[in-house]
Amino acid sequence: MIDLGPGGSAEKHYPVTAYNSVVAVNAGGEVVAHSRKTNLYYTDETWAQEAPEGFTAHDLAVADGSGSSRVRTTFAICMDLNPHHFLPRAATRRSLTDHVLATDSRLLVLSTAWLTHLPSSALVGPEAARPDDDTL
């Protein structure tokens, strides 16, 4: 993690705009979709910007056993599950659920990273296989 200090801003320290993103690639390694995180977690706010376009939907080719078909897909990242900053959203902002319904997305891909209360020493070696019951 990068510590920007009190009052630190990603805009002051990075020469380019950074986003917390997810990228989908096909079997041939080609990028077929990318999506940026819309609702930032406080740790994201130190280095990333919100997706200016908000949530997006992609028509992705998927193998269905009889060839392939296209499926309307929405990607989301962790905090995107929650309303923006846990406050009632402005009329111009849709929740992830609103977006999925409005775009008729048939598949939601959610990338997450859950926080844990375990010390880092418990995340390696034989103890790493044990679930963190307090987090669950």
Side-chain angles (χ1 to χ4, degrees):
M1 176 178 294
I2 298 171
D3 181 7
L4 298 179
S9 161
E11 292 175 357
K12 293 178 189 175
H13 296 278
Y14 294 96
V16 297
T17 302
Y19 298 96
N20 187 337
S21 304
V22 64
V23 176
V25 297
N26 64 16
E30 299 170 281
V31 173
V32 295
H34 75 276
S35 184
R36 297 170 175 160
K37 190 171 186 178
T38 298
N39 298 333
L40 300 181
Y41 191 54
Y42 74 94
T43 55
D44 295 313
E45 291 175 348
T46 63
W47 64 272
Q49 303 298 312
E50 289 183 345
E53 66 277 9
F55 299 112
T56 56
H58 308 271
D59 292 315
L60 300 182
V62 296
D64 63 6
S66 63
S68 80
S69 59
R70 300 195 79 68
V71 175
R72 176 60 55 103
T73 305
T74 292
F75 292 89
I77 303 171
C78 208
M79 192 69 168
D80 284 339
L81 285 172
N82 298 303
H84 189 253
H85 290 281
F86 300 104
L87 299 174
R89 61 187 180 278
T92 58
R93 291 189 69 118
R94 292 193 300 199
S95 72
L96 177 59
T97 304
D98 293 338
H99 167 79
V100 168
L101 293 172
T103 60
D104 197 31
S105 288
R106 309 309 292 166
L107 177 63
L108 172 62
V109 178
L110 179 64
S111 173
T112 63
W114 299 105
L115 300 177
T116 181
H117 298 287
L118 293 175
S120 59
S121 61
L123 302 175
V124 295
E127 291 297 311
R130 294 181 47 150
D132 177 6
D133 292 333
D134 292 334
T135 299
L136 297 175

